[in-house]
Amino acid sequence: MTSVVGSMQAPSLDVDPWKIETLLNPWEFHHLLRETGPVVQFSRYGHYAVARYDQVKSVLSDWSHFGSRYGIGISDIRAPGSWREAGPIVEADPPNHTQVRNVLSKIISPKVVRAWSKAFHAESAVVIDRACALGQLNAAKDISEAYILKVFPESLGLTPHAENMVIVGDFNFNSMGPRNALFRESEKKLEGISDWLEAARSREAIEPGSFADQVYQAEDAGELAKGTASGLMLSMYRGGTDTTISGLSSAILLLAERPELWATLRKDRSLLKMVFGEAIRLETPIQSYFRTAMSDVEIEGVLIPQDARVQVFLGSANRDPRQWNDPDKFDLNRAMTGHVSFGFGIHQCLGQVIARMEAESVLTAMLDRIERIELTGPAIYRPVNHLRTLQDLPIRVVPA
Ligand code: HEM
């Protein structure tokens, strides 16, 4: 990657990345992107895209040419009529980003996260005991949402409200895309709960000792600029809720499809640590997001003009055959390092320890209590512009 002005034009594709069928089944589309070139341009929207593993990683590592501060959705935050506000960490570049990240890294330290483990494990037991009592259930709702939408808001210091929190999550990931029907529908639902949202995120509603409380305290101590804490809390909530629900549901689906693996894991948990990583490689929760070219810049000899937006396809990089052997296979023996589901470079996910702990806690409780899982119907995804997530995961559980 250099800032020398290149002479080649990116090959142009007349396809819509946000078409419902593509969101629900993106693999052929990803193949087309990767095989068309190291960088492509979408004729309908004008923006560029990288979908091969190497280019995804190099764009994400080069924050000085591919910045985040104008937004990681398609809407350029500077543009009049933009429908997104910049998040104080994820939509910032150094030096502002560095300072905020340092403060948040101290708050979400592995030690602090471990202190939450007792509460997380206790809730896993409750949720999985309930699942065993139900026998037949929708694991996406009755396990993943039921669990994450309780433990994660509580650790942040927010009072859980499952139904409203799904609306907030869907809006967050729909608003990263264009103003399409998915976006408008989400926006309408969000308007319906705006009073609840205002009250829920106000400082008075935050539980003392929680992650959000510590963020507010850092602002009081002058470590964060005045007015940053509320946006930062929202960034943690947005980044950490629906992504983890998505990853946990995918892990349950992939295990439900493999009864022999379930039986092996029940006897020997040594491969359990790999399950969540491999699930989010295959079914990358945030399939793509954006960077902005901060000056004229080249990718593999193709000119990306200043201010152009580049869509970075994590979900495609995670299945690029240039990087992965048998990329579509769920394989717990592959080297797990290197997937980009948590991003790459200076913005790499700050909450991944929390996500892993939550998922492993639930899967452990399931393996302890459930002899067998059977799928009782098709797994159905919910279309969301920038999130791959299961809506229905009908299963029957046979308690041990
Ligand atoms: C499976 C679950 C998760 C996935 C797939 C995920 C994914 C990501 C990705 C791709 C990024 C990079 C964004 C970028 O490059 O612009 C990111 C950043 C971030 N994530 Fe996560 N995340 C997960 C869970 C969490 C959790 C539980 C938290 C809890 C606090 C969290 C908080 C954050 C924050 C604060 C950032 C911004 C970091 C920065 O900009 O420096 N995430 N996440």
Side-chain angles (χ1 to χ4, degrees):
M1 201 97 40
T2 69
S3 52
V4 179
V5 176
S7 53
M8 279 195 288
Q9 290 289 313
S12 171
L13 281 178
D14 182 22
V15 285
D16 185 352
W18 295 279
K19 198 170 132 187
I20 300 280
E21 293 74 22
T22 305
L23 293 175
L24 294 178
N25 192 354
W27 318 125
E28 250 179 57
F29 166 66
H30 288 171
H31 176 78
L32 173 70
L33 294 182
R34 286 191 303 262
E35 295 318 307
T36 303
V39 52
V40 300
Q41 187 173 17
F42 293 117
S43 55
R44 298 187 191 189
Y45 296 91
H47 70 272
Y48 295 80
V50 287
R52 293 182 187 171
Y53 184 84
D54 283 349
Q55 280 72 50
V56 162
K57 261 185 137 172
S58 54
V59 166
L60 293 181
S61 18
D62 188 0
W63 60 263
S64 65
H65 287 113
F66 296 100
S68 296
R69 68 175 178 270
Y70 301 134
I72 65 163
I74 193 174
S75 150
D76 188 323
I77 280 167
R78 294 166 296 179
S82 163
W83 55 94
R84 299 190 71 247
E85 271 172 43
I89 179 162
V90 79
E91 282 159 332
D93 296 323
N96 297 354
H97 171 262
T98 320
Q99 200 237 341
V100 178
R101 183 156 172 125
N102 286 344
V103 173
L104 203 55
S105 304
K106 273 195 270 160
I107 293 172
I108 317 184
S109 71
K111 194 169 152 225
V112 177
V113 174
R114 271 196 301 275
W116 281 96
S117 66
K118 215 171 140 199
F120 284 18
H121 296 333
E123 186 60 21
S124 297
V126 171
V127 168
I128 302 308
D129 283 343
R130 199 166 54 221
C132 288
L134 283 172
Q136 302 244 21
L137 56 140
N138 174 359
K141 290 260 163 228
D142 301 324
I143 298 181
S144 307
E145 280 183 16
Y147 178 75
I148 302 294
L149 292 177
K150 177 148 178 25
V151 295
F152 187 59
E154 277 181 356
S155 69
L156 271 183
L158 303 172
T159 307
H161 187 310
E163 206 183 313
N164 287 358
M165 285 176 164
V166 171
I167 294 177
V168 174
D170 278 4
F171 176 77
N172 173 39
F173 286 102
N174 276 323
S175 71
M176 286 169 68
R179 275 190 164 278
N180 56 11
L182 288 173
F183 174 102
R184 286 192 300 272
E185 207 179 304
S186 254
E187 190 178 39
K188 216 159 105 198
K189 285 190 185 159
L190 191 79
E191 276 163 18
I193 61 159
S194 58
D195 292 348
W196 169 84
L197 186 59
E198 262 329 289
R201 62 183 282 207
S202 74
R203 183 165 190 178
E204 297 70 49
I206 301 297
E207 280 296 317
S210 60
F211 288 119
D213 183 42
Q214 292 176 60
V215 172
Y216 276 108
Q217 283 181 30
E219 185 181 295
D220 291 344
E223 294 171 41
L224 292 170
K226 278 270 165 260
T228 316
S230 141
L232 202 49
M233 181 192 74
L234 206 58
S235 301
M236 290 163 79
Y237 177 78
R238 285 171 166 170
T241 313
D242 306 274
T243 47
T244 316
I245 292 172
S246 150
L248 179 55
S249 295
S250 296
I252 297 172
L253 170 61
L254 289 158
L255 291 178
E257 288 170 337
R258 290 165 180 78
E260 305 82 35
L261 178 59
W262 185 263
T264 308
L265 286 168
R266 274 191 33 88
K267 283 189 238 124
D268 171 7
R269 304 287 163 90
S270 52
L271 285 177
L272 177 60
K273 284 223 162 311
M274 307 302 188
V275 170
F276 188 61
E278 180 64 348
I280 62 172
R281 179 190 69 82
L282 267 184
E283 299 291 344
T284 312
I286 308 177
Q287 287 275 313
S288 73
Y289 52 66
F290 288 82
R291 293 293 190 255
T292 304
M294 305 310 278
S295 57
D296 286 357
V297 57
E298 274 184 13
I299 299 176
E300 298 294 308
V302 170
L303 168 68
I304 312 291
Q306 180 172 354
D307 292 329
R309 298 181 85 71
V310 181
Q311 191 170 4
V312 181
F313 281 89
L314 307 180
S316 165
N318 279 338
R319 290 186 184 225
D320 183 355
R322 293 164 188 78
Q323 174 66 18
W324 309 93
N325 287 329
D326 211 351
D328 299 330
K329 185 174 167 199
F330 181 66
D331 178 2
L332 297 184
N333 292 309
R334 68 170 81 244
M336 212 47 72
T337 49
H339 74 68
V340 287
S341 299
F342 289 121
F344 188 73
I346 62 166
H347 289 279
Q348 200 180 42
C349 181
L350 262 181
Q352 50 189 292
V353 201
I354 305 180
R356 283 204 195 92
M357 190 171 87
E358 289 169 322
E360 278 172 30
S361 175
V362 172
L363 295 175
T364 301
M366 290 179 78
L367 287 163
D368 287 345
R369 290 166 174 77
I370 297 171
E371 174 78 37
R372 242 178 28 246
I373 306 180
E374 290 158 9
L375 279 168
T376 55
I380 297 173
Y381 285 84
R382 177 166 81 246
V384 180
N385 280 332
H386 281 265
L387 180 75
R388 178 157 180 81
T389 198
L390 279 159
Q391 169 76 35
D392 291 325
L393 179 50
I395 57 168
R396 188 168 82 87
V397 297
V398 179

